[in-house]
Amino acid sequence: MKLNTKGLLVVISGPSGVGKGTVRKALFNRTGHNLDYSVSMTTRAPRDGEVNGVDYYFVSKKEFLSQIDKGNLLEYAEFVGNLYGTPKDKVEEKLALGHEVVLEIEVNGAMQVREKMKDAVFIFIAPPSYDALEKRLVRRGTERGEVIKERLDKAHREINLANNYDYIVINDEVDNAADRIMAIIRAEHAKCSRTLDEYLKLMEETNND
Ligand code: 5GP
């Protein structure tokens, strides 16, 4: 029996190249959950195989800036020369329906969400080592040499931000990392601070004395 019908906002974040995207996809490929992915908006050009509205909403810089002006983004950040942001309306709609909404975003954006959404759960995806991180970025092969260096430098700085999160999940194996995230989401639903009021109300309603 699942109590806690309120929505849950889950923020998956961590340094560049740690495999957040891969872990998030593994999570969503699983059956038996109702997680909703929040598709971000970006000014980055689509990579091969990326689909507008599925991987990102690909927009011009002018359109992105206008979305900021209208207050339509829950958070946004510049990352290696491109802008990335979370459309606010969809997140709010889904949370209001009691859904579990997952954001996969870089660390500056995560800290903005931390300020605004006190109930959200923050998960830091961490690399098993710096070597593993560098290998991942080189293997991915989507960026030129200097961009890889820039992303690695950024990652070194970002590791220190882990203490702003509720949980740390080491991405040693994608499936293990996805398992741990699922376990965290389940545990969050069972937390007294989220659930106790609802439980006591239920008990009161079923009390025939
Ligand atoms: P990529 O260009 O590799 O798809 O993404 C670059 C970085 O931007 C990744 O760390 C990714 O998690 C992050 N990112 C994706 N969407 C958003 C977003 O909506 N907001 C923020 N702040 N970062 C995002």
Side-chain angles (χ1 to χ4, degrees):
M1 176 172 161
K2 188 175 152 199
L3 280 165
N4 191 221
T5 47
K6 273 190 240 155
L8 181 69
L9 184 62
V10 179
V11 180
I12 296 178
S13 187
S16 172
V18 75
K20 297 187 287 292
T22 317
V23 172
R24 184 254 303 166
K25 283 181 191 142
L27 194 66
F28 277 84
N29 281 337
R30 299 188 166 203
T31 50
H33 68 75
N34 285 315
L35 302 175
D36 258 319
Y37 177 56
S38 157
V39 178
S40 295
M41 191 174 281
T42 186
T43 61
R44 163 166 85 58
R47 293 184 186 130
D48 275 355
E50 285 185 331
V51 175
N52 190 32
V54 175
D55 298 287
Y56 283 105
Y57 296 107
F58 295 101
V59 297
S60 64
K61 189 162 182 188
K62 187 166 172 233
E63 171 63 18
F64 197 103
L65 295 176
S66 129
Q67 293 296 320
I68 297 175
D69 279 350
K70 290 180 189 150
N72 289 348
L73 299 180
L74 175 62
E75 59 74 37
Y76 65 92
E78 187 173 327
F79 185 88
V80 199
N82 294 303
L83 292 163
Y84 296 82
T86 303
K88 187 159 72 179
D89 53 349
K90 296 211 173 64
V91 171
E92 287 176 347
E93 265 166 40
K94 288 173 184 162
L95 287 177
L97 290 170
H99 292 199
E100 294 157 331
V101 182
V102 175
L103 309 187
E104 179 235 303
I105 61 180
E106 55 71 67
V107 290
N108 292 310
M111 291 305 97
Q112 294 167 44
V113 180
R114 177 120 224 166
E115 286 301 305
K116 291 183 186 164
M117 311 287 274
K118 300 294 178 201
D119 272 357
V121 183
F122 293 81
I123 305 175
F124 189 83
I125 309 290
S129 66
Y130 280 117
D131 273 2
L133 189 62
E134 183 164 5
K135 279 201 191 102
R136 257 196 82 86
L137 280 171
V138 172
R139 198 174 53 224
R140 192 160 75 178
T142 47
E143 267 91 30
R144 288 164 294 124
E146 68 264 33
V147 176
I148 290 178
K149 175 149 190 336
E150 207 179 322
R151 288 195 174 213
L152 264 176
D153 288 347
K154 209 172 160 66
H156 275 76
R157 293 192 298 274
E158 289 174 349
I159 294 284
N160 295 317
L161 297 173
N163 68 344
N164 296 316
Y165 289 71
D166 301 310
Y167 295 93
I168 180 161
V169 165
I170 296 177
N171 185 19
D172 44 4
E173 291 287 336
V174 174
D175 270 337
N176 289 344
D179 278 346
R180 291 175 199 135
I181 293 176
M182 262 326 174
I184 291 168
I185 294 174
R186 296 222 171 91
E188 281 294 323
H189 276 295
K191 256 194 173 165
C192 278
S193 55
R194 291 186 196 280
T195 311
L196 195 57
D197 286 351
E198 214 176 317
Y199 174 68
L200 293 177
K201 209 165 127 215
L202 183 85
M203 290 305 277
E204 197 51 43
E205 282 163 11
T206 54
N207 181 4
N208 295 321
D209 291 348

